[in-house]
Amino acid sequence: MKFGLTLALIACLFASFCSTAGNDRRDDRNQSRNQEAKNEQRRLVVNNPDQAVAIAQRQFQGKVLSVQSSGAGYRIKILNNDGQVFSVSVDAATGRVSRK
């Protein structure tokens, strides 16, 4: 009877250890992914739509009608003082603005 209880206790401890080790590895992977995302944001010149609008408005006067996130940056629609609507792109990595 003692032998059976000892085996059961060892099996329980082993299962607990393996479960904890698996969680630790998962936590390490999640921390690594979070750090990579933070590093990517640090490398970008433009990190959010407000920054993109501010950069675009330094070059082009007018009212911002819309802001859309695109794969590599932001697309901003502007209504200028002459009543013309045009789009500009702001590259997130460089901050470069180009009129479309």
Side-chain angles (χ1 to χ4, degrees), residues 11-54:
C12 184
L13 289 173
F14 182 73
S16 175
F17 172 77
C18 289
S19 174
T20 303
N23 288 339
D24 289 345
R25 275 183 258 137
R26 237 176 275 119
D27 289 343
D28 289 345
R29 279 185 295 218
N30 287 338
Q31 286 176 352
S32 177
R33 283 189 199 118
N34 290 341
Q35 189 61 44
E36 287 172 15
K38 287 178 186 176
N39 288 342
E40 176 65 23
Q41 246 187 349
R42 277 190 214 119
R43 285 189 292 258
L44 297 177
V45 173
V46 183
N47 292 307
N48 59 57
D50 293 333
Q51 288 178 335
V53 167

Side-chain angles (χ1 to χ4, degrees), residues 5-97:
L5 288 175
T6 303
L7 281 178
L9 181 60
I10 290 172
C12 184
L13 289 173
F14 182 73
S16 175
F17 172 77
C18 289
S19 174
T20 303
N23 288 339
D24 289 345
R25 275 183 258 137
R26 237 176 275 119
D27 289 343
D28 289 345
R29 279 185 295 218
N30 287 338
Q31 286 176 352
S32 177
R33 283 189 199 118
N34 290 341
Q35 189 61 44
E36 287 172 15
K38 287 178 186 176
N39 288 342
E40 176 65 23
Q41 246 187 349
R42 277 190 214 119
R43 285 189 292 258
L44 297 177
V45 173
V46 183
N47 292 307
N48 59 57
D50 293 333
Q51 288 178 335
V53 167
I55 290 169
Q57 285 186 317
R58 281 188 217 128
Q59 285 190 338
F60 300 100
Q61 299 298 313
K63 179 180 178 183
V64 173
L65 301 175
S66 67
V67 181
Q68 292 179 326
S69 179
S70 67
Y74 299 90
R75 185 179 199 97
I76 302 167
K77 220 179 250 190
I78 297 176
L79 172 65
N80 71 9
N81 296 334
D82 296 331
Q84 295 175 323
V85 176
F86 61 93
S87 294
V88 296
S89 293
V90 179
D91 186 284
T94 64
R96 194 179 110 239
V97 179

